[in-house]
Amino acid sequence: MSVYNPDIKKITTHILQEMKLKGEKISMLTGYDFTMAKILDKAGVDVILVGDSASNVMAGHETTLPITLDHMIYHASSVVRGVERALVVVDLPFGTYQGNSKEALSSSIRIMKESGAHAVKMEGGREILEGINRILTAGIPVMGHLGLTPQSIYKFGTYVVRAREEEEAERLIEDAKLLEEAGCFAIVLEKVPAKLAGVVAQSVKIPIIGIGAGPQVDGQVLVSHDMLGINNDFNPRFLRKYHNLQEEMLGAFQNYIKDVKEKDFPNEHEQY
Ligand code: KIV
């Protein structure tokens, strides 16, 4: 079953822009390793995000803050080796860009050079504009990230819906416009009211890719492990689970253990 346009051999930032113009929704999912990236790419996902959610999902940290640039480059280079068609976007991790535009550029250059990825993503609005401008001068495409920005969890204090109040909503719309003016090719908009997300998507020409931001945006992103039901501890309202892979994996592992214990595995065909 092909649910994407197979004529597009390689997704670029320009193609994402065209998708917005045509009203074709952009699909984006996270990937952190070669095997998963190959499956995501084969399925035809438009964008693979090497998210710093790897800090939670792959490394078991409570927040995204501990993951390092070296870790992100390791994950990103593994993903890039599995991809032919999708655009690969990599999160700049906490502490590698905020407050220092030169560091923002050198972190981005390391990601592009050492992983072979196609773009970087950064959390924040006006406060990181200098860094975004500097990265763009090096020809590196930048995706923004507004709304709930998990790298600032200790400032927010909680992961609740952002920008419910008018003042914060207006600031968010302004930030989206500033990121567009600076030259970002797209923006992730996380956990904001659906109506506001629709206004943001209409206020800028670049694609707005939502997570917990309702349907009136230009695309959707989810964490692959969450939508596959591998991790069943995270159940926000916005998450649609497409599988209960944890149950299937548990069953398979338990069957294997049983077969080993009962001396059923390996049998006469499974040996040399
Ligand atoms: O790190 C990540 O996976 C993300 C998505 C949740 C958008 O930033």
Side-chain angles (χ1 to χ4, degrees):
M1 178 184 60
S2 182
V3 289
Y4 66 97
N5 184 350
D7 294 338
I8 302 175
K9 299 289 176 228
K10 192 114 196 90
I11 302 288
T12 63
T13 58
H14 300 281
I15 286 176
L16 299 183
Q17 181 67 67
E18 281 169 22
M19 285 180 176
K20 171 156 181 153
L21 280 174
K22 285 193 287 192
E24 179 183 340
K25 300 283 186 185
I26 296 163
S27 62
M28 172 159 140
L29 283 166
T30 58
Y32 316 113
D33 67 86
F34 171 78
T35 308
M36 185 78 94
K38 261 189 109 158
I39 301 170
L40 286 163
D41 198 51
K42 195 172 171 187
V45 75
D46 297 312
V47 185
I48 298 179
L49 172 65
V50 185
D52 59 357
S53 50
S55 179
N56 314 105
V57 177
M58 303 305 282
H61 293 294
E62 233 177 79
T63 72
T64 56
L65 274 64
I67 201 160
T68 67
L69 190 56
D70 284 336
H71 293 145
M72 290 304 294
I73 290 169
Y74 168 76
H75 286 298
S77 58
S78 308
V79 165
V80 166
R81 285 192 287 275
V83 168
E84 284 175 16
R85 179 180 181 273
L87 186 84
V88 179
V89 181
V90 184
D91 263 331
L92 278 177
F94 175 70
T96 65
Y97 63 100
Q98 295 98 336
N100 185 338
S101 64
K102 285 192 182 156
E103 195 184 351
L105 175 59
S106 62
S107 303
S108 306
I109 287 175
R110 275 202 62 201
I111 286 180
M112 302 298 281
K113 227 187 218 313
E114 295 177 38
S115 77
H118 311 127
V120 296
K121 175 164 88 58
M122 301 161 75
E123 294 184 8
R126 63 200 72 190
E127 67 282 3
I128 58 160
L129 269 186
E130 196 183 312
I132 291 176
N133 283 324
R134 202 179 273 267
I135 295 167
L136 287 166
T137 60
I140 300 172
V142 177
M143 176 180 272
H145 185 151
L146 296 171
L148 176 66
T149 47
Q151 290 179 12
S152 307
I153 182 58
Y154 291 116
K155 181 175 124 192
F156 296 144
T158 141
Y159 289 102
V160 293
V161 177
R162 304 299 311 171
R164 279 199 193 276
E165 305 301 326
E166 201 172 321
E167 201 180 319
E168 194 184 342
E170 271 168 23
R171 189 180 161 90
L172 194 150
I173 296 168
E174 282 168 18
D175 276 342
K177 288 180 182 166
L178 288 170
L179 294 187
E180 175 181 43
E181 270 170 40
C184 288
F185 71 89
I187 300 172
V188 163
L189 190 51
E190 181 162 354
K191 226 171 170 187
V192 300
K195 201 165 154 212
L196 170 64
V199 173
V200 175
Q202 293 209 330
S203 306
V204 294
K205 293 197 174 66
I206 56 174
I208 299 295
I209 302 177
I211 172 163
Q216 297 156 42
V217 287
D218 308 301
Q220 298 292 330
V221 55
L222 285 176
V223 169
S224 295
H225 288 65
D226 295 338
M227 59 83 82
L228 288 172
I230 297 179
N231 164 25
N232 283 336
D233 303 332
F234 183 63
N235 294 297
R237 190 207 297 203
F238 68 76
L239 177 63
R240 183 178 294 181
K241 289 205 181 183
Y242 287 82
H243 220 304
N244 189 343
L245 213 48
Q246 186 182 116
E247 211 169 274
E248 299 226 356
M249 288 169 82
L250 262 175
F253 293 149
Q254 284 166 344
N255 283 339
Y256 167 78
I257 294 165
K258 183 170 163 286
D259 289 351
V260 170
K261 298 284 180 192
E262 292 176 354
K263 302 183 182 125
D264 176 71
F265 174 78
N267 64 24
E268 72 268 25
H269 304 296
E270 293 161 331
Q271 56 184 284
Y272 300 100

